[in-house]
Amino acid sequence: MSRKGVGLAAFDRSRITSAQYASHGSSLRSTDASAFETQLSVFRSLLQQFAQTHAKDIRSNPTFRAQFARMCAAIGVDPLTSSNTTSSGSDKGGGQSIWAQLLGRTVNDFYFELAVRVVEVCGETRGENGGLIEVRKVRESLMGKSMEGAPEITEDDILRAVGTLKPLGSAYSVIKVGSKPYIRSVPKELNTDQSAVLEAVQVLGYISVSMLMDNLKWARARAQTALEDLVGEGMLWVDAQADECEYWSPGFMLESQRQEAAAG
Amino acid sequence: MQSAPPPFVFPREYSFPPFFTRQTNLTTHHAQLVKWASLVLTYCRHHRIFKLSLSGQPPVPTPQATPTTTTTTTTANLDITTPTTTTSSSSSSSDELFHNRKLNRRLSLADAREVIDFLRKDGRAEYVAGGGSSSSKDSGDVAWIYWRTPEEWAALIEAWVDETGQKGSVLTLYELTQGDATRGAEFHGLDPELLQKALGTLVKRQKAQIFGHEDSQGVKFF
C-alpha cells in the first residue's frame, strides 16, 4: 500500500516529468541552435573578411586555395555556386551579395577560367584519346602551356573546375578508373570489362590479350572484345609491331615526352 | 657544342610505339596523321630537307647545289639526334624519321605515303615527278615537303629583292641561293628545282621573268 509510484498519481507524475524534460530539452535545443547560428554568422563574416584579405593568396597559392575551398564546403558555403543557395542563414541581403561578388572576382573566375582551359585540352586531345583523359595529364598539359610565374594548378583545382561545368549540362564528368580520376568529355559509359582493361593499362602503359588472360583470368574472346571495344572508342592505340599486338594508352605519349626531356 | 644546328627534338609521340602502326579507328587515325604531318614538316624544316625520300634511300643529290661552305645542305646528311641512337651506315633522313631504332618501330612505306597524301591535301607536299627513276613502280617515293610552299618561298625572295632594292636588275639563280649576298636569308641554299617552282609563281603573277639556258639562268624582278 505504501509503495510509491503505484497509484494513479504516478501516471500523472511521469507525464509531468516527461513534459518537463521535453520542454527543457527544446529550450536547450533552441539556445544551442541560436548559439550555433550566432557562431556560424560570426564565422561567416570572419570567412568573408578572410577571403577579402587573402584574395591574392587564394588565387596564387594552390594549397591555400584547396584549404579554403574545403573550409567553405564544411560550413555549407560553396564558393563556386551562386549566392542564392547560401542566403538562408543570413539576414542581410546586401552582405550576401557582397560575399558573392567578392568570391566571384577571386575564386569563381579562377575556376571558370581553368574550366575553359580544361575544355580546350580535352578538345585538343579528343582525337587521340577518345575523350578520356587522366586528370594528371590535363594538369601536365596545362602546366606545360602556361607561362612562367603563372599560378600553380593542382588536380584538386581541375576537379573543381570540371564541377563548374555541370550547370551547363555538358558532357564533362569525372570518373574513376582504378584509383585515378579521369575526365570524360564524351557521354559514354564504360562497362566493367573496359574499366578493368583501362585500369590494367595504367600499370605499364600497354596491355595485350595474353596479359589480360593471365592476370584477370579472362577467356581470350573476352579480352579481345574488351580491347577492340576500347580501340573502337579511340581510347587505346594499337601497336602491331610487337610480338603480340599491344594496346597502348594514349596518356603515355605525355609520359614518354617527359622521359625524353629528362634524358636529353 | 659546335656551330652545327642543334639536334632535332622529336615530339612525344615519336617514342610512343603505336605511333608507327596505322590505327584502325578513324578518329584515332586522323589524330595520328595530324601528328605525323606536323612531325614531317618540323623535321624537314629543322634539317632543311626539301625533298624527302620515303623508301629510305638518300635523296638524289641535286646537280648544282652542293656547297660545302655552309651548314645548309639539300641532301639530308644528319647527325645523331638522340644520345642513345647509334650512328648507322645509312644516314638517310626519312630512315630516321620513319624508323625509331630505339623502339625498333618503323612506319611502313604505305603508311608514310598516306602521311604524304595527307600533307598534299594541305598543299604541304607534292610527289616529285618521276620520283627518282621514271618507272611507275617507283613514283611516289620522293616527295617535296613544303614546310614553305613555293608561294611562300617566292614571297620571301620577293621581299628580299624589294628590301635590297634590286627590282629591275637581273640576278642569276645561282647567286640567289648560293651567292654571298643572300647568306643569312632563309632561302639561301634552296633547292634549285624548288627555286624554279617559286620563281614560276612570280612569273605567273608577272612579277618576274626568267631567261637564259639550263645552267646559267637569270631572273629579273619587276
Side-chain angles (χ1 to χ4, degrees):
Chain A
M1 287 292 264
S2 63
R3 278 184 296 167
K4 285 177 185 168
V6 190
L8 276 175
F11 289 109
D12 279 345
R13 200 162 49 239
S14 77
R15 210 180 300 132
I16 291 163
T17 337
S18 69
Q20 277 169 344
Y21 275 134
S23 74
H24 189 60
S26 70
S27 80
L28 271 182
R29 261 200 302 279
S30 70
T31 39
D32 272 6
S34 66
F36 278 136
E37 211 158 289
T38 330
Q39 276 180 18
L40 196 57
S41 70
V42 168
F43 188 67
R44 276 206 180 120
S45 69
L46 283 176
L47 194 61
Q48 182 178 346
Q49 264 177 16
F50 183 81
Q52 223 156 0
T53 42
H54 295 281
K56 217 178 131 205
D57 285 337
I58 290 173
R59 276 189 83 94
S60 60
N61 184 343
T63 41
F64 196 89
R65 186 164 58 238
Q67 299 277 11
F68 179 74
R70 209 168 306 142
M71 192 163 71
C72 289
I75 58 156
V77 181
D78 187 350
L80 299 181
T81 51
S82 61
S83 56
N84 305 335
T85 49
T86 53
S87 60
S88 57
S90 166
D91 46 359
K92 278 193 290 177
Q96 193 67 25
S97 74
I98 288 170
W99 166 248
Q101 271 179 7
L102 183 78
L103 284 182
R105 280 221 194 81
T106 57
V107 182
N108 246 359
D109 280 8
F110 173 85
Y111 284 112
F112 286 151
E113 279 163 24
L114 183 59
V116 171
R117 289 164 64 203
V118 170
V119 168
E120 274 173 9
V121 171
C122 288
E124 275 166 21
T125 57
R126 195 171 297 144
E128 63 185 65
N129 60 26
L132 187 70
I133 186 164
E134 209 183 311
V135 172
R136 194 162 57 90
K137 308 289 177 199
V138 174
R139 178 173 173 266
E140 276 168 23
S141 177
L142 288 176
M143 295 305 287
K145 271 182 212 161
S146 59
M147 322 246 178
E148 286 283 316
E152 204 186 321
I153 299 160
T154 64
E155 290 182 26
D156 190 62
D157 290 332
I158 292 171
L159 293 179
R160 276 176 211 286
V162 173
T164 64
L165 296 171
K166 227 168 240 161
L168 301 174
S170 65
Y172 285 80
S173 62
V174 176
I175 58 166
K176 285 236 164 171
V177 177
S179 58
K180 291 175 182 165
Y182 279 71
I183 297 172
R184 195 186 54 193
S185 58
V186 287
K188 281 244 173 63
E189 293 295 333
L190 293 173
N191 64 36
T192 45
D193 275 13
Q194 291 171 337
S195 309
V197 169
L198 288 179
E199 197 178 338
V201 165
Q202 289 171 353
V203 181
L204 289 173
Y206 67 94
I207 200 86
S208 68
V209 171
S210 61
M211 281 160 80
L212 284 176
M213 288 165 66
D214 288 347
N215 290 300
L216 299 179
K217 308 282 175 249
W218 283 4
R220 176 172 290 276
R222 186 180 177 190
Q224 193 76 50
T225 310
L227 286 172
E228 273 163 16
D229 280 355
L230 285 170
V231 171
E233 306 278 9
M235 290 174 183
L236 289 180
W237 287 49
V238 192
D239 175 21
Q241 293 176 50
D243 296 336
E244 187 193 358
C245 249
E246 285 172 359
Y247 297 82
W248 284 77
S249 156
F252 268 69
M253 270 193 258
L254 283 165
E255 205 88 342
S256 43
Q257 176 199 31
R258 287 223 320 270
Q259 284 163 9
E260 205 78 343
Chain B
M1 302 304 127
Q2 295 146 9
S3 58
F8 180 71
V9 179
F10 278 100
R12 59 196 171 110
E13 51 267 20
Y14 188 73
S15 342
F16 186 60
F19 191 48
F20 295 84
T21 297
R22 189 189 186 281
Q23 295 303 306
T24 45
N25 180 304
L26 272 183
T27 323
T28 317
H29 183 229
H30 186 261
Q32 188 185 19
L33 279 179
V34 169
K35 284 178 185 302
W36 265 114
S38 106
L39 170 59
V40 168
L41 286 179
T42 48
Y43 183 86
C44 290
R45 179 191 292 264
H46 181 89
H47 292 297
R48 292 183 63 88
I49 296 165
F50 302 108
K51 257 191 227 175
L52 188 69
S53 160
L54 301 185
S55 55
Q57 301 299 315
V60 189
T62 39
Q64 57 173 180
T66 47
T68 47
T69 48
T70 54
T71 53
T72 56
T73 51
T74 46
T75 52
N77 187 8
L78 303 171
D79 299 320
I80 325 152
T81 51
T82 43
T84 45
T85 324
T86 48
T87 326
S88 65
S89 50
S90 79
S91 62
S92 148
S93 58
S94 69
D95 205 38
E96 185 204 29
L97 179 58
F98 294 127
H99 181 193
N100 186 332
R101 284 195 178 76
K102 217 161 95 188
L103 295 180
N104 193 23
R105 295 287 183 275
R106 185 190 286 277
L107 192 73
S108 74
L109 184 57
D111 295 342
R113 284 211 182 104
E114 221 171 327
V115 175
I116 300 300
D117 285 338
F118 187 77
L119 281 168
R120 274 173 58 202
K121 277 184 207 131
D122 251 1
R124 288 285 162 190
E126 188 184 328
Y127 285 116
V128 173
S133 75
S134 53
S135 66
S136 60
K137 162 173 82 76
D138 277 350
S139 77
D141 271 5
V142 183
W144 292 107
I145 305 297
Y146 294 146
W147 39 279
R148 286 201 192 289
T149 60
E151 288 77 17
E152 286 164 353
W153 283 119
L156 281 178
I157 294 169
E158 209 182 355
W160 177 80
V161 168
D162 204 26
E163 243 169 58
T164 49
Q166 300 193 74
K167 270 193 181 174
S169 59
V170 175
L171 294 155
T172 66
L173 297 202
Y174 180 84
E175 95 185 285
L176 259 181
T177 56
Q178 309 298 333
D180 284 344
T182 62
R183 188 151 300 171
E186 209 186 324
F187 56 86
H188 186 87
L190 186 66
D191 183 282
E193 254 180 275
L194 190 49
L195 176 67
Q196 288 277 4
K197 279 174 187 282
L199 294 178
T201 68
L202 287 180
V203 170
K204 220 175 271 172
R205 279 164 39 216
Q206 309 205 322
K207 294 284 187 110
Q209 196 183 347
I210 302 176
F211 46 83
H213 299 292
E214 280 292 309
D215 281 344
S216 57
Q217 284 187 315
V219 61
K220 187 174 177 180
F221 295 92
F222 307 118

